[in-house]
Amino acid sequence: MMKWNMLPAPKDGGFRMEGYWVWCGSVVKGEDGKYHMFASRWPKTLPMHPGWLVASEIVRAVSDTPEGPYEFQEIVLPARGAEYWDGRSTHNPHIVKHKDTYLLFYMGSTHPLAEPNPDTFEGLQDPKTIVARANKRIGLATAPSVFGPWTRRDAPILSTRPGKFDSFLTSNPAPSVSEDGSVLLIYKARKYEGHEHGKMTIGAARADHYEGPYRVMQEGPIFSSEYHLEDPFVWKSSDGYELIAKDMDGNICGEKYGGIHARSIDGLRWELSDTPHAYSRSIVWDDGTRTMLGNLERPFLLFEDGRPTHLFGAVSDGVKGFSDAKNTWNMAFPLEENPR
């Protein structure tokens, strides 16, 4: 059972941007004492999905409180050219502070084709989308300050492996960084099945230091193929690791797009909690009203003094998920310890 309950969320909190789809909120307390959210955005002139594959960029926003509202500050990882592995899209930010260095794990992609034209963009069937999806890889940028400057690598830290469960793409990085700089990296993968990609799976890699190299720790995914999961978030606990993730079908937690909770001694062998439903898309606002969000994805826990104080999630106002959403934003949900 999860140790925390979600409290009513402030309706005016989180991070929104007029004219943009906003996703993937990850928050760290900066050296200025303020809360800095690293998020993904892309213009609403393109469809929410799959516009992110060809036009997403990672940005930074700031707030005096974890709940927000957050104010846009800058583009952190802009497009930098088709010749770079992450040159056309940056997405899935996960920010960590390790000692005096800020670590920004993310997904990057590229393609050699023209910029997408909103009038002629063909969505999932557009050649730019097809190439960009197959080029998704996990990378790392570092900075001495939350304000930068950010140093990007010329190669991903976790690429694909032919013939393996991660032969098609790697994305959705979920790092747990230890005091000595070593990393357990949980990530999303897909494999080639003919000319297409297979279902979503979750793998585990390790590195003795966050700079790498990263080694995939086993030949198969960390969860059974019966589990259809994405968007992992992992953290160290007193007896190993804990993880929350998005249940794509609802077969595990009982709610489509709800959250699951699992535990592991070593980060490789995972077991679902006795009550694996970690969080719900049915949320209560601070004015007492309740909403069934179209999405609550990319979960991120903010820890302060060793305990999680807020759950952040990418949300939409759609009914069928983001397919009919008019707006997406990053929301902050205060947490309280579960007394049970």
Side-chain angles (χ1 to χ4, degrees):
M1 177 179 293
M2 287 290 286
K3 302 174 184 176
W4 312 283
N5 295 323
M6 290 168 60
L7 295 173
K11 264 192 170 178
D12 64 348
F15 175 48
R16 301 165 173 81
M17 285 200 76
E18 190 70 29
Y20 287 92
W21 304 108
V22 175
W23 210 244
C24 299
S26 178
V27 175
V28 68
K29 194 172 186 178
E31 62 266 31
D32 59 353
K34 297 185 178 184
Y35 295 87
H36 297 259
M37 179 184 288
F38 291 76
S40 303
R41 76 168 190 184
W42 58 104
K44 280 190 172 181
T45 51
L46 294 172
M48 189 275 176
H49 179 62
W52 59 274
L53 271 167
V54 294
S56 178
E57 58 189 3
I58 292 173
V59 300
R60 181 177 60 84
V62 70
S63 170
D64 291 332
T65 65
E67 292 88 353
Y70 286 79
E71 180 181 347
F72 170 76
Q73 296 292 292
E74 64 173 339
I75 301 170
V76 175
L77 300 183
R80 59 173 179 166
E83 69 269 31
Y84 292 96
W85 70 271
D86 61 348
R88 304 301 287 274
S89 176
T90 56
H91 198 66
N92 293 155
H94 186 119
I95 187 71
V96 178
K97 186 179 183 184
H98 179 260
K99 298 184 179 178
D100 294 328
T101 302
Y102 290 86
L103 315 177
L104 182 57
F105 294 82
Y106 66 101
M107 179 223 86
S109 184
T110 191
H111 65 80
L113 306 173
E115 290 293 328
N117 182 332
D119 296 327
T120 58
F121 185 62
E122 300 177 66
L124 288 169
Q125 303 308 313
D126 193 287
K128 290 177 280 294
T129 303
I130 294 170
V131 176
R133 173 173 266 161
N135 280 330
K136 289 168 63 177
R137 305 289 186 268
I138 290 172
L140 173 68
T142 54
S145 163
V146 76
F147 304 104
W150 293 93
T151 300
R152 293 160 75 165
R153 276 67 183 163
D154 290 337
I157 60 170
L158 193 66
S159 194
T160 52
R161 301 179 303 152
K164 307 297 184 181
F165 70 92
D166 48 9
S167 60
F168 188 83
L169 61 79
T170 63
S171 67
N172 298 41
S176 175
V177 183
S178 298
E179 183 67 20
D180 64 0
S182 62
V183 182
L184 169 69
L185 183 66
I186 304 298
Y187 64 100
K188 186 176 90 171
R190 283 182 159 178
K191 68 181 293 186
Y192 263 106
E193 294 184 355
H195 298 291
E196 301 289 333
H197 55 76
K199 67 186 298 184
M200 299 175 189
T201 57
I202 295 180
R206 286 193 182 275
D208 296 332
H209 189 268
Y210 56 75
E211 290 283 6
Y214 286 77
R215 311 173 302 279
V216 179
M217 299 305 295
Q218 54 194 40
E219 291 307 306
I222 61 174
F223 287 101
S224 163
S225 60
E226 301 171 9
Y227 296 162
H228 192 192
L229 302 171
E230 71 164 348
D231 291 351
F233 177 92
V234 65
W235 69 99
K236 268 194 169 180
S237 62
S238 58
D239 56 356
Y241 296 91
E242 296 185 54
L243 174 148
I244 53 178
K246 174 188 169 189
D247 187 348
M248 293 294 293
D249 302 320
N251 297 337
I252 306 169
C253 73
E255 178 189 341
K256 184 178 176 68
Y257 300 159
I260 67 110
H261 179 228
R263 299 177 185 274
S264 173
I265 295 175
D266 58 5
L268 302 179
R269 295 166 293 173
W270 290 87
E271 294 184 355
L272 295 173
S273 299
D274 293 338
T275 53
H277 198 181
Y279 58 85
S280 173
R281 291 185 292 121
S282 177
I283 59 99
V284 177
W285 301 109
D286 56 1
D287 63 3
T289 59
R290 181 176 289 274
T291 296
M292 175 61 82
L293 295 165
N295 301 80
L296 202 173
E297 305 190 8
R298 302 292 301 141
F300 178 93
L301 289 171
L302 175 66
F303 283 80
E304 296 202 77
D305 298 322
R307 59 175 293 269
T309 60
H310 295 78
L311 170 70
F312 292 86
V315 304
S316 79
D317 60 4
V319 176
K320 304 174 183 177
F322 48 63
S323 62
D324 65 342
K326 298 292 190 296
N327 298 284
T328 64
W329 66 102
N330 287 324
M331 199 64 218
F333 301 92
L335 301 175
E336 68 172 356
E337 287 198 43
N338 189 329
R340 290 175 294 177

